[in-house]
Amino acid sequence: DAGVIQSPRHEVTEMGQEVTLRCKPISGHNSLFWYRQTMMRGLELLIYFNNNVPIDDSGMPEDRFSAKMPNASFSTLKIQPSEPRDSAVYFCASSPGLATDTQYFGPGTRLTVL
Amino acid sequence: QKEVEQNSGPLSVPEGAIASLNCTYSDRVSQSFFWYRQYSGKSPELIMSIYSNGDKEDGRFTAQLNKASQYVSLLIRDSQPSDSATYLCAVKINGWTQGGSEKLVFGKGTKLTVNP
């Protein structure tokens, strides 16, 4: 079975541009998570969906960040406008049930904002 | 105090030795604890979960939990160079009082190097 799929794997953009990260969770998984990882802050949960509904977005840093899950097989994380401090690795993960079931991580998107 | 704390390391051990990784957490009511391994440039993967006080063994890995001390550890016996990675401790917390939900909170990780 395919694991969690993320695209693009690498993204380099200039400050002020819009960035869209994409994720396809494992088929049949009910929960999807977006994380951000930096050396300074470690792995942080940004937002968590269950059955396509946002459950917890308390980790979304500010209004420049938004996430959607229009169906069970696709989610996007958008940053508009992007800033250099958004540079990080963004992981998408999915789990069969709730947030505390085993989470399966995608390969990540390395974002660099110049 | 941060919710989940780990020594960042690096922790360096010789091949065949026991590696000991430690984690403390602040939420006294936490009931679920996890260890994830992350190789350089890769994504985290779950290697152990523990829910009760005491030890849980899985092959060369042993997770230890002491809820009274709010402490969880991971022991790796007969360490191999292939164990070289960053180990992330994750704790289930109740975030409802902060406008969130039940979720995993990760420590920053301890980098382990096993020298041949």
Side-chain angles (χ1 to χ4, degrees):
Chain A
D1 285 339
V4 175
I5 298 172
Q6 291 186 247
S7 64
R9 295 292 307 277
H10 301 273
E11 177 81 28
V12 180
T13 191
E14 294 188 347
M15 183 173 63
Q17 296 299 304
E18 178 179 295
V19 175
T20 299
L21 310 182
R22 297 172 176 81
C23 176
K24 176 179 170 58
I26 294 172
S27 177
H29 281 193
N30 294 326
S31 293
L32 181 141
F33 313 86
W34 282 101
Y35 288 92
R36 177 174 66 178
Q37 188 173 41
T38 62
M39 289 292 293
M40 287 293 292
R41 300 177 66 90
L43 190 64
E44 302 175 283
L45 178 66
L46 299 178
I47 187 168
Y48 151 41
F49 293 87
N50 182 255
N51 291 325
N52 311 337
V53 176
I55 301 300
D56 185 342
D57 65 356
S58 59
M60 295 287 263
E62 49 197 270
D63 291 346
R64 298 185 297 107
F65 285 69
S66 62
K68 294 182 180 180
M69 191 166 186
N71 57 62
S73 59
F74 184 66
S75 178
T76 60
L77 178 68
K78 186 175 295 186
I79 308 173
Q80 166 64 19
S82 58
E83 296 183 3
R85 60 189 168 126
D86 301 329
S87 297
V89 179
Y90 291 80
F91 288 104
C92 177
S94 69
S95 73
L98 300 175
T100 49
D101 286 350
T102 300
Q103 297 187 17
Y104 298 84
F105 283 76
T109 295
R110 181 173 295 277
L111 173 64
T112 303
V113 183
L114 303 175
Chain B
Q1 180 186 3
K2 294 188 185 302
E3 290 173 308
V4 181
E5 295 204 58
Q6 298 180 252
N7 288 328
S8 61
L11 174 65
S12 183
V13 301
E15 184 175 354
I18 296 175
S20 178
L21 305 162
N22 305 314
C23 172
T24 58
Y25 58 95
S26 59
D27 186 355
R28 289 188 171 277
V29 299
S30 293
Q31 297 294 320
S32 304
F33 308 87
F34 307 85
W35 283 99
Y36 281 76
R37 177 177 61 199
Q38 186 175 24
Y39 291 115
S40 180
K42 302 296 184 182
S43 55
E45 59 177 334
L46 180 68
I47 54 171
M48 290 284 286
S49 59
I50 186 166
Y51 307 99
S52 304
N53 278 329
D55 295 0
K56 179 182 178 182
E57 188 173 316
D58 183 0
R60 295 185 297 109
F61 297 94
T62 299
Q64 299 175 318
L65 175 61
N66 184 327
K67 293 182 181 179
S69 301
Q70 296 174 237
Y71 178 90
V72 58
S73 64
L74 179 69
L75 301 178
I76 307 175
R77 291 183 302 281
D78 188 23
S79 295
Q80 301 297 309
S82 60
D83 295 326
S84 298
T86 295
Y87 290 81
L88 304 173
C89 173
V91 178
K92 183 178 82 169
I93 68 155
N94 181 346
W96 294 110
T97 56
Q98 298 152 5
S101 67
E102 243 180 18
K103 58 191 172 187
L104 290 187
V105 175
F106 286 81
K108 290 185 180 180
T110 298
K111 185 174 182 178
L112 172 67
T113 300
V114 180
N115 300 305

